[in-house]
Amino acid sequence: MEAISLSSSSISAIASSGAVKVKQSLSFSKNKMSVISCQSGSNNNHHAIKSSGGISSVLTESSPSPLVSSPALMGPASLVLSPGQVEMHDEGSIGIVKFLKGKTFLITGGTGFLGKVLIEKMLRTAPDVQKIYVLIKANNSEAALERLKNEVINAELFKNLKEKHGKSYQGFMLSKLIPVVGNVCETNLGLDKHTFDFMTNELDVIINSAANTTFDERYDTALDINTGGPTRLIGFAKQCLKLKLFLQVSTAYVNGQRQGRIMEKPFCAGESISAAGGEEAVLHHGSLPKLIVEDEIKLLVESKQSLQDSSLVHKMKELGMQRAKKYGWQDTYVFTKAMGEMMIDNLRGEVPVVVIRPSVIESTYKEPFPGWMEGNRMMDPIILQYGKGQLTGFLVDPNGVLDVVPADMVVNATLAAMAKHGEAGKPEYNIYQVASSVVNPLVFRDLAELLYQHFNSSPFMDSTGNPVRVPKMKLFHSMEDFSSHLWRHAINRTGLGALANLDGKLSQKLETICRKSVEQAKYLANIYESYTFYGGRFDNSNTKRLMGCMTKEERQEFGFDVEKIDWEDYISNVHIPGLRRHVMKGRGLNS
């Protein structure tokens, strides 16, 4: 998602949506949380709609995969969990395909990684969906249509649909997908009055998948899209005459530095999270300052006014991380996403809301085919640098857990929750964490072993055509030890040590290369440290109950049982091959 600065007009938009009333009106006691129960139960004009606006311990409920190390299962006694089973109800049905039929959707973030997987699944399983309007940031309707074609319709992800529809593929896609010029960072989403009125009369479901996911993004940019975006969208949703559901794609890491088992629950008014021990600190305990979104916006405006252009970017990045850590979140990204959730719950009124909280989203597990991905996800830079022999260690708790979920499982859970609560139409607020750390933990030391095994059996090839042989990855507890390792590896790799006394200029050049390599790896480790030593484990009881409401046929077509993932098979035979094909584009493979 593109970075967008927080302008004075966008601040006004948040204020007009109700954000500035947070002090007086922020109350969650009236909002309902539901308990899931299971019951039985066009035209072809090709155009874009244009607007004028322009971890140390692992918690487990089930038997781990064969590679999960037993020492990692030795957590504090207070964190022991009782086994949980998903009760399946074959006599009932959520009716996912039936719900999608004839419905009209608005999707933000539809040109992004997860958005594309969602659109593909909807059109493949429910080709009789009415329309999917895709909000696209563009200068005009022609540019929006061009982005839709290049980034969505022509993407390799849609090859199964291309094969199914043949020569009529383009026509089919353009009859269902309508690009709308707009921006979640603008008042009324940047829509003119005609488009605004049209959309509010037509939409059945709004899906917000737009986000800036850079961990250390500048505070104004992240707050504008991750907090202001949901605020504007829920205000828009309240004006939709026949809206059945507002669905927010969030992240499980909005839970910040909470420790132990983290439940699927909303944030309370003014809630902060204690950085020391990760304990929740409710306001009336007086242990932490009250988190008010309005105050954050005011602070941001005042800070920007006092800064010079030359220092703005750096200071905005610093401010975001400072504010996040003050309230108990690990970085600007998850902090601003958490505030986005708070604003949705505070302002939603009678709008039914579903919040999907996935953990680390990686390549597709099965659909539309295994291993599809786009760009480097969270763990992928480390995997690729290790495979190339550029990184032989990392800063990580060996017994910690990397909470990973495949993109297609996130999409399936999203569609199931959408159909479940969209059909019910009750003004409830439901949260689903799509995560693996409780039911099927992937332990870091086991991941390191899987990477070693894979790259030794299927190594990258260097520029001369020789296989790159990698050692076992070393896992470090301290930045000091990791930094020393990086320097030793860089010196050995460049030959700096041998040349130091022979050629001063060459030695200086190689030292510069080494220093740059070390600093890049340390930066990556510093950004990821809150996740590689993360002490929280995401409960997914709501998600399991949702799965229990599905028929056997629905679970086969829309399955999201992360407990069944074989990590060895997924990492070695699905994810890394997918990285090589779709991110590396085949570079470094045997010819």
Side-chain angles (χ1 to χ4, degrees), residues 182-194:
N183 188 339
V184 298
C185 293
E186 294 181 11
T187 304
N188 291 334
L189 310 182
L191 308 174
D192 61 24
K193 187 178 186 306
H194 173 76

Side-chain angles (χ1 to χ4, degrees), residues 18 33 52 144 282 309 354-355 385 543 565:
M33 283 290 289
S52 58
V282 181
D309 289 345
V354 164
V355 177
Q385 288 185 40
T543 306
I565 298 175

Side-chain angles (χ1 to χ4, degrees), residues 272-505:
S272 295
I273 300 168
S274 170
E279 297 294 331
E280 296 175 29
V282 181
L283 173 64
H284 62 258
H285 290 168
S287 57
L288 284 177
K290 184 176 182 179
L291 172 57
I292 299 295
V293 178
E294 176 199 8
D295 292 347
E296 293 305 301
I297 296 171
K298 287 182 178 178
L299 172 70
L300 182 57
V301 174
E302 293 169 359
S303 299
K304 288 190 74 171
Q305 290 174 345
S306 65
L307 293 173
Q308 300 295 323
D309 289 345
S310 59
S311 62
L312 183 62
V313 174
H314 176 69
K315 292 297 184 181
M316 282 293 106
K317 285 192 172 187
E318 275 191 346
L319 181 62
M321 295 297 282
Q322 288 171 2
R323 301 305 290 178
K325 292 182 184 300
K326 174 179 179 177
Y327 290 109
W329 277 265
Q330 54 266 50
D331 54 52
T332 309
Y333 164 55
V334 295
F335 180 47
T336 53
K337 287 289 283 185
M339 287 192 287
E341 282 195 25
M342 294 175 188
M343 294 307 299
I344 291 172
D345 197 11
N346 179 52
L347 299 173
R348 65 188 176 87
E350 296 298 303
V351 175
V353 172
V354 164
V355 177
I356 303 294
R357 291 178 179 171
S359 54
V360 178
I361 306 174
E362 289 289 354
S363 60
T364 55
Y365 184 58
K366 289 183 179 179
E367 290 189 282
F369 49 86
W372 185 81
M373 65 183 317
E374 191 173 61
N376 275 329
R377 314 308 299 172
M378 181 175 172
M379 67 178 179
D380 304 328
I382 301 167
I383 292 175
L384 292 177
Q385 288 185 40
Y386 173 68
K388 295 174 185 177
Q390 298 169 355
L391 186 67
T392 57
F394 205 66
L395 184 67
V396 60
D397 177 3
N399 294 326
V401 170
L402 179 63
D403 197 316
V404 174
V405 286
D408 50 336
M409 287 193 174
V410 176
V411 162
N412 289 342
T414 298
L415 292 172
M418 179 198 303
K420 174 74 177 173
H421 299 288
E423 190 64 37
K426 298 177 180 178
E428 299 170 338
Y429 189 86
N430 292 277
I431 296 175
Y432 295 94
Q433 290 179 169
V434 189
S436 59
S437 54
V438 167
V439 296
N440 189 10
L442 173 59
V443 180
F444 279 115
R445 68 163 76 251
D446 297 326
L447 174 60
E449 180 63 26
L450 290 176
L451 296 181
Y452 173 71
Q453 292 174 5
H454 176 88
F455 286 115
N456 267 273
S457 60
S458 303
F460 275 120
M461 309 304 288
D462 63 19
S463 58
T464 64
N466 293 316
V468 176
R469 298 300 178 189
V470 297
K472 288 195 173 186
M473 181 176 280
K474 295 183 179 179
L475 307 180
F476 297 91
H477 279 282
S478 74
M479 182 65 81
E480 182 180 359
D481 291 342
F482 179 52
S483 180
S484 298
H485 169 80
L486 289 172
W487 272 109
R488 288 193 300 271
H489 178 253
I491 290 171
N492 291 336
R493 191 163 171 261
T494 59
L496 176 62
L499 294 172
N501 298 321
L502 300 177
D503 190 326
K505 290 183 178 180

Side-chain angles (χ1 to χ4, degrees), residues 5-22 184-189 219-235 292-298 300-301 336 339-340 343-344 346-347:
S5 298
L6 188 69
S7 62
S8 58
S9 62
S10 62
I11 294 170
S12 299
I14 300 177
S16 64
S17 298
V20 296
K21 298 178 183 177
V22 173
V184 298
C185 293
E186 294 181 11
T187 304
N188 291 334
L189 310 182
Y219 195 30
D220 53 347
T221 299
L223 192 68
D224 200 9
I225 187 168
N226 295 340
T227 305
T231 301
R232 299 179 193 98
L233 278 162
I234 196 65
I292 299 295
V293 178
E294 176 199 8
D295 292 347
E296 293 305 301
I297 296 171
K298 287 182 178 178
L300 182 57
V301 174
T336 53
M339 287 192 287
M343 294 307 299
I344 291 172
N346 179 52
L347 299 173

